[in-house]
Amino acid sequence: MAAMATKLKSPWSRLLSLRPPPRIPSIHHLPPLSVTPPFPARPVPSAVHSVRRFSANPVMGDRVVQELLAEVEREKKLAQEARRKEGLALEDEEEDYLGVAPLIERLEKKQAKDLENIDQYWEPTDSESDDDERFSPDEVKKRLDEFEKKCKRHSELLKNFADAETLDEAHKWMTKIDKFEQRHLKLPLEYRVIGDLMNRLKESTGKERFILLQKLNRAVRLMDVKEAYDPDNPSNFGVIQNQQSGSPDDVVDSAGFEKEKAMIQGANLEEDDEDFTEAKEKDDVLIEKLNAIEKKLEEKLELLDHTFGKKGRVLEEEIRELVEERNTLTEKKRRPLYRKGFDVKVIDVNRTCKVTKGGQLVKYTALLATGNYHGVIGFAKAKGTTAKVAMQRAYEKCFQNLHYVDRYEDHTIAHAIQAKYEKTKLYLWPGPMRSGMSAAGRTVETVLYLAGFSNVKSKIIGSRNPLNVIKALFIALNAIETPKDVQEKFGRTVVEKYLLTEGVAAKMGWWSFGVLKVVPWLCLLECVCGIGANWGTQASHLLPPGTVVQMLKDNGIDKVKLFDAEDGALGALAKSGIQVMVGIPNDMLAGLAAEEKAAERWVSKNVSKYINDGVDIRYVAVGNEPFLQTYNGSYLQTTLPALQNIQAALIAAGLGNQVKATIPLNADVYGSSSSKPSDGDFRTNIHDIMLSIVKFLSDNGVPFTVNIYPFISLYDDPNFPVDYAFFEGSSSSIVDGSLTYSNVFDANHDTLVAALEKNGFMNVSIIVGEIGWPTDGDANANPQYAQKFNQGFMNHVLSGNGTPRRRGNIDAYLFSLIDEDEKSIQPGNFERHWGIFAYDGSPKYELHLGGTNSNSSLVGAKNIKYLDRKWCVLKPSVNLNDAEIAASVSYACGNADCTSLGYKTSCSTLDAQGNISYAFNSYYQKNDQDDRACGFKGLATITEKDPSNSTCKFNIMIDVESGTSRTIPMRMKLGIGLFLYVVVPFIVTLV
């Protein structure tokens, strides 16, 4: 019985051993280099019980139990029959009520056989043995050495690539780096998707950004879950098999991934994150177009390998057009994921062919430019056996030649600049906001856009080879200085000159900037900013042009306006750095309007010629105040056609971007129906033609030039408030809505602004072509008022506040630089006294062109030579009642300048003898002190005693060094005058 009991107990014990053991908590010791799993560790069963278990399938378990009970019943009956035959007592024996012993023996045999087969696939884990060879010190050190070896190899490859001296060598090392990274450092596809989403997220906005955020979060969560159960992930090796004692459901329950949990459990989730919006459809259409273009491009490139001659050139042109079309489509939408936001543009692809004995050697040259639209740009040129190879090499090289350029106000360059490379000259100057890119070529425009510029003007002279152009462009961009650079260089406060308003081309000097050491659009406090001067030449004794140019430089005046293309003045301005507006007299308008060829001849003779000599001509002034009411419409029909023909001739001469044609108009072309500037509009009788002119100026980016004279307002109206003509405030201010006008200049200027705005030309800039105050010839024309007005205007300009209706800097030309004693006095005697300098270049009054706080006053002309100190005066013995005196004085004043003789003028204090002497001396000095010019029928005499007094100066004319050409005409005039004045009356008397 004991043996039978032992026999029966043994199967039961073995059956119990097959039951799943209870979970006993135990501490699992991970090896030193094991990576912590992304979920909590679970209790691990003892190594003794680490054997295969029964299936947990409930259906299969029920069937096994039923079969087991049936077989147990049969076995029980067979055992009872055997005991009866042997005559054993059944009640005293411990029976096997279930009869499972035979079944257990069969199951044990089957399980042993299965375990023998499964052992060949079983791999030991760190939980089965404390002495795992994989985590032994030797194995750990071996893996560390292998990892360090890979890092060292990668560093060596990068160093060899950086030190490569030739393009082929660099390409070889780059290929090795790519293969090494693909083999050892290749990221899973999921990481690439996440990177793609993050790059797209940087440029997206609104609803698209929200959807991308949801997709990115979902991708990151899915990646975390996948990494937790990825058997190929080294972090999970030895962890999944030994630490995961439960199902994935248990892990997900504590991970907080509801959607992922449903996915693991087999739920069929709907893809609700796919939003087929209109933007996505547009992207799909764009991708289709890009793919079609890429396909065509590949076909053309393949054909190009076997096409030569004229057909080859045609194919090259088609390839360029396809590349331009692709660049246009990818301008806003497509951004390369590689190189972190940089975009790459194809500048040029060139094919060369060399014929040898062995055949033709064909090579391709590719020129590419790259940029991130935020000031970082680069370019590269590379060669290859095929166009694809050349472009790929250039693509890699262009990121090794990156430059950072400063962008002024994030849209343009800080100042005008000139650069030269080989036979290519490039000129850049800033453009106003929203003016767009006016580039001289596709190469310049592409590179500037890649750098992030949006408002830059440019001009190319000479070779337009793409490589030369792009190198000159990089030289120019790298040479640009910011206000901070200039301030650090000179150690002074920097004042900005014109904050890039419309017509900025007229304010930026860029022809003579090649060797400048001071940024031209910036000026120190001691210099003039934004002020030019009118240089007239209607004088009997002109200062030498070189002396005048030096006087302009000494006073910091960097712009000058000429009324005619006078050869001497333009020749002296060559390479001076002074910007020039050259004028066309009104009497030439009819001829220029009638024939385009006449305009082309004039431009060739008076503009192109001097520009080639180094004169910085910026504008051509077509006429001068042609619509004055006193002209009675003489030039109404010829002014606009002449303007159009001159501009067309400038474009034909290749100067369209550098030189612009404008019309200096008087302020009488517009007016206000009330006293308020906001009611301004153009004069009714010329309204239509003015709109045509303004439209032409606007279309060509040319400023509106207007001459404003507050003095004329005071001269024409005796009741005009005097203080309103100046800039020191007035009790007669005009209130126009929310704007207040305390001086007539601002009111006049804003009347023009209102007229432009009313007719739809809000963005047309304005140049004040003439503004000033005379010093003699009228009661209100004196040095005190002139100094008060001009200094106030200078302070007004330098403040940078502009006018109430148009804020910003004012571009203006003072009228005028020097007095002219041969100007017409039809408007008034004051016409000959507008200059801030006298006839001899001496300052008339103290004027600080840099502002009231500036220490610099006017600098006069240097090294001036005068005629002898002698004057022609009335003889003291002559009777003032002599009948010949009136005729002599009339003749003298008719041929000389007597405009200082008048009511409340500088010489109004002279007595009768003084007035006569002044007239005689003016004629005498004008004729270079010729003794015959002091005859006057014996009424005059020459004296060496100066007859001047404290207010009236008897001038001595300057000795013109080049006087031969002038002295002969003057003597001819003198001879003719004496003949008419003496001989003709004598002959008439005889007759």
Side-chain angles (χ1 to χ4, degrees), residues 28-35 122-141 143 234 236-243:
H28 180 69
H29 299 281
L30 293 174
L33 294 179
S34 177
V35 181
W122 190 263
E123 293 182 5
T125 65
D126 54 344
S127 63
E128 294 179 307
S129 174
D130 293 335
D131 298 328
D132 194 338
E133 294 180 358
R134 293 178 299 107
F135 300 104
S136 63
D138 293 337
E139 292 293 328
V140 171
K141 186 175 183 304
R143 287 196 295 272
N236 297 331
F237 192 80
V239 176
I240 297 176
Q241 295 182 14
N242 301 300
Q243 292 191 353

Side-chain angles (χ1 to χ4, degrees), residues 584 588 591-609 620 641-655:
I584 298 176
M588 295 182 63
L592 295 174
E595 187 180 358
E596 294 182 1
K597 292 294 183 182
E600 293 177 359
R601 288 193 297 268
W602 189 93
V603 168
S604 175
K605 179 181 178 181
N606 300 292
V607 179
S608 300
K609 171 187 173 183
V620 173
L643 175 69
Q644 295 169 336
N645 288 344
I646 289 292
Q647 185 63 44
L650 290 171
I651 295 173
L655 303 173

Side-chain angles (χ1 to χ4, degrees), residues 475-780:
I475 291 173
L477 293 177
N478 288 328
I480 292 175
E481 293 179 296
T482 62
K484 185 178 179 181
D485 296 333
V486 177
Q487 183 171 334
E488 292 176 354
K489 181 185 295 185
F490 294 97
R492 297 176 181 176
T493 303
V494 175
V495 180
E496 296 186 8
K497 170 188 178 182
Y498 300 112
L499 298 179
L500 307 177
T501 57
E502 293 281 351
V504 73
K507 310 175 185 68
M508 305 299 172
W510 44 270
W511 271 91
S512 56
F513 286 178
V515 294
L516 288 183
K517 296 183 179 179
V518 181
V519 180
W521 72 285
L522 298 173
C523 58
L524 306 179
L525 286 178
E526 286 80 356
C527 300
V528 163
C529 292
I531 287 294
N534 285 266
W535 179 5
T537 57
Q538 297 184 45
S540 60
H541 289 68
L542 294 172
L543 287 171
T547 302
V548 178
V549 171
Q550 186 59 47
M551 188 167 61
L552 291 170
K553 291 182 178 180
D554 292 342
N555 289 279
I557 300 174
D558 60 356
K559 297 182 299 182
V560 68
K561 179 168 168 275
L562 304 177
F563 294 92
D564 198 354
E566 206 273 323
D567 182 71
L570 288 171
L573 288 166
K575 301 180 181 179
S576 64
I578 298 175
Q579 303 169 21
V580 180
M581 179 187 292
V582 60
I584 298 176
N586 290 339
D587 55 9
M588 295 182 63
L589 295 181
L592 295 174
E595 187 180 358
E596 294 182 1
K597 292 294 183 182
E600 293 177 359
R601 288 193 297 268
W602 189 93
V603 168
S604 175
K605 179 181 178 181
N606 300 292
V607 179
S608 300
K609 171 187 173 183
Y610 292 107
I611 284 180
N612 294 333
D613 293 339
V615 182
D616 187 7
I617 298 178
R618 297 300 184 85
Y619 292 99
V620 173
V622 182
N624 185 47
E625 300 181 344
F627 296 161
L628 274 176
Q629 297 187 28
T630 54
Y631 290 152
N632 297 321
S634 301
Y635 306 108
L636 286 180
Q637 305 302 323
T638 57
T639 302
L640 179 57
L643 175 69
Q644 295 169 336
N645 288 344
I646 289 292
Q647 185 63 44
L650 290 171
I651 295 173
L655 303 173
N657 290 331
Q658 176 190 347
V659 186
K660 300 292 185 180
T662 184
I663 303 176
L665 295 166
N666 192 275
D668 69 347
V669 299
Y670 56 86
S672 174
S673 57
S674 64
S675 61
K676 297 180 180 181
S678 59
D679 294 330
D681 201 354
F682 294 113
R683 213 166 67 209
T684 306
N685 63 328
I686 59 170
H687 191 274
D688 293 340
I689 192 172
M690 282 303 303
L691 292 186
S692 300
I693 291 175
V694 175
K695 185 178 186 306
F696 180 84
L697 297 177
S698 177
D699 293 342
N700 289 275
V702 184
F704 188 105
T705 305
V706 61
N707 301 337
I708 299 177
Y709 297 102
F711 169 79
I712 301 298
S713 300
L714 189 61
Y715 177 78
D716 290 338
D717 186 1
N719 298 321
F720 190 87
V722 177
D723 57 350
Y724 191 58
F726 300 96
F727 297 90
E728 298 178 356
S730 171
S731 58
S732 306
S733 298
I734 295 177
V735 178
D736 187 1
S738 60
L739 305 178
T740 301
Y741 295 90
S742 59
N743 63 81
V744 68
F745 169 78
D746 285 350
N748 194 314
H749 183 279
D750 282 1
T751 303
L752 172 59
V753 174
L756 292 172
E757 293 176 351
K758 182 176 295 184
N759 293 280
F761 300 100
M762 285 75 70
N763 296 323
V764 174
S765 58
I766 297 173
I767 292 178
V768 180
E770 297 178 16
I771 186 170
W773 199 280
T775 56
D776 208 349
D778 186 71
N780 293 312

Side-chain angles (χ1 to χ4, degrees), residues 828-842:
N829 289 338
F830 52 82
E831 274 296 310
R832 296 178 177 177
H833 302 278
W834 287 96
I836 58 177
F837 294 95
Y839 70 97
D840 57 353
S842 59

